[in-house]
C-alpha cells in the first residue's frame, strides 16, 4: 500500500489546468436534479500518482476524506489516457464551495460519485482491488460504478398543462462516452432531437 498526503504534492504538480465535466449521483431519479456540469480547475491526478511512484500491480485507487469517508476506483480507469481525472481546487473559476469539497476533491470523469468523487480530500491510497472496499461497498453497492447513459426533459416542466406548439428540450449525458443522438416519443412516435455542440465527451449535451 502507498499513502499519499496530497498537500505537498499539490505545489509540485503545477501548473493548473481546467476542464468541463458532468458529474451525477447514482441515486438520481429519472428526470432528477442530482446531476450537474461545471468547469473544474486543479491538477492532473496521473501526474500526482506518477510522482508517487505507483507500482505496476496496483489495481485500485482509494480517496479518503477528512471525515474518514472512502471511495475506491479502478486504477485502470484512472490511468486511461482517454480521460483526465483530477484533483480539483476550483469550481467555475471560484474556490470550491464547502458543499463541493473545499479545499480539494477528486473529479473522475465517467464514474458515479460514490466510487470516485471524494470531497474534502485528505489522502490517496494505492492498493489492490481485493485489498480494500470503499464506504458504500460493504453496504451492498456495486464496486464498479460507471455513469449510465441518461437524459432529462427540462421544458416543459413535469405536470405542466400546455397547448399549441411547445418546444421540448433538455440535457443528455454519458460521460465519458459522449452523446450521439437523442430521440423523444410524442404519442408513441419517436422523433430525433437536435443536439447542441457538446463541450467535450465528459459533459452533457443540450437537446
Amino acid at each position: 500500500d502507498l499513502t499519499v498526503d496530497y498537500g505537498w504534492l499539490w505545489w509540485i504538480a503545477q501548473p493548473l489546468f481546467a476542464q468541463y465535466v458532468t458529474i451525477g449521483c447514482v441515486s438520481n431519479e429519472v428526470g432528477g436534479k442530482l446531476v450537474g456540469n461545471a468547469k473544474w480547475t486543479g491538477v492532473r491526478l496521473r501526474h500526482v500518482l506518477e510522482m508517487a511512484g505507483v507500482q505496476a500491480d496496483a489495481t485500485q485507487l482509494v480517496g479518503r476524506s477528512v471525515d474518514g469517508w472512502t471511495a475506491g476506483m479502478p486504477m485502470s480507469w484512472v490511468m486511461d489516457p482517454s480521460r483526465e481525472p483530477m484533483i480539483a481546487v476550483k469550481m467555475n473559476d471560484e474556490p470550491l464551495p464547502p458543499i463541493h469539497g473545499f479545499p480539494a476533491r477528486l473529479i473522475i470523469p465517467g464514474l458515479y460519485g460514490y466510487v470516485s468523487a471524494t470531497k474534502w480530500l485528505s489522502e490517496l491510497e494505492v492498493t489492490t482491488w481485493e485489498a480494500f472496499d470503499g464506504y458504500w461497498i460493504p453496504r451492498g453497492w456495486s464496486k464498479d460504478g460507471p455513469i449510465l447513459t441518461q437524459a432529462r426533459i427540462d421544458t416543459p416542466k413535469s405536470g405542466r398543462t400546455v397547448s399549441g406548439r411547445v418546444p421540448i428540450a433538455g440535457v443528455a449525458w454519458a460521460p465519458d462516452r459522449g452523446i450521439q443522438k437523442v430521440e423523444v416519443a410524442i404519442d408513441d412516435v419517436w422523433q430525433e432531437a437536435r443536439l447542441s455542440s457538446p463541450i467535450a465527451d465528459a459533459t452533457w449535451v443540450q437537446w
Side-chain angles (χ1 to χ4, degrees):
D1 289 359
L2 172 66
T3 299
V4 179
D5 181 345
Y6 79 89
W8 64 271
L9 288 174
W10 151 247
W11 296 107
I12 300 175
Q14 300 286 349
L16 299 179
F17 88 106
Q19 63 176 338
Y20 289 89
V21 179
T22 296
I23 58 175
C25 179
V26 70
S27 299
N28 191 47
E29 298 179 351
V30 174
K33 297 181 179 180
L34 301 181
V35 60
N37 191 66
K39 178 183 179 183
W40 305 97
T41 302
V43 297
R44 289 177 168 84
L45 180 55
R46 282 196 294 271
H47 188 171
V48 173
L49 295 175
E50 289 166 1
M51 288 188 297
V54 177
Q55 296 181 10
D57 60 351
T59 52
Q60 181 175 200
L61 176 66
V62 177
R64 185 170 281 104
S65 297
V66 294
D67 60 1
W69 187 86
T70 55
M73 63 216 76
M75 184 62 73
S76 59
W77 192 282
V78 173
M79 301 305 287
D80 188 334
S82 68
R83 58 183 64 91
E84 194 63 81
M86 66 190 300
I87 300 173
V89 295
K90 291 184 177 182
M91 179 180 180
N92 295 329
D93 295 323
E94 299 289 340
L96 284 175
I99 194 172
H100 283 288
F102 178 86
R105 64 169 295 163
L106 291 182
I107 293 292
I108 313 296
L111 289 181
Y112 281 121
Y114 82 95
V115 293
S116 69
T118 311
K119 300 179 182 178
W120 315 291
L121 183 65
S122 64
E123 40 178 66
L124 300 172
E125 179 182 356
V126 177
T127 183
T128 64
W129 193 246
E130 300 78 18
F132 185 86
D133 288 332
Y135 178 86
W136 283 109
I137 309 312
R139 293 163 173 80
W141 292 79
S142 171
K143 198 162 183 174
D144 296 301
I147 295 179
L148 303 178
T149 301
Q150 297 178 330
R152 185 179 73 196
I153 297 175
D154 290 331
T155 181
K157 296 295 183 181
S158 178
R160 179 184 171 191
T161 300
V162 297
S163 61
R165 293 177 61 86
V166 178
I168 302 174
V171 292
W173 60 94
D176 50 352
R177 304 173 302 279
I179 296 292
Q180 299 298 317
K181 181 169 67 173
V182 174
E183 293 182 321
V184 180
I186 303 173
D187 295 332
D188 296 325
V189 178
W190 288 93
Q191 301 182 45
E192 186 172 342
R194 295 193 304 271
L195 304 184
S196 67
S197 297
I199 300 173
D201 283 346
T203 67
W204 63 21
V205 61
Q206 294 175 313
W207 56 266

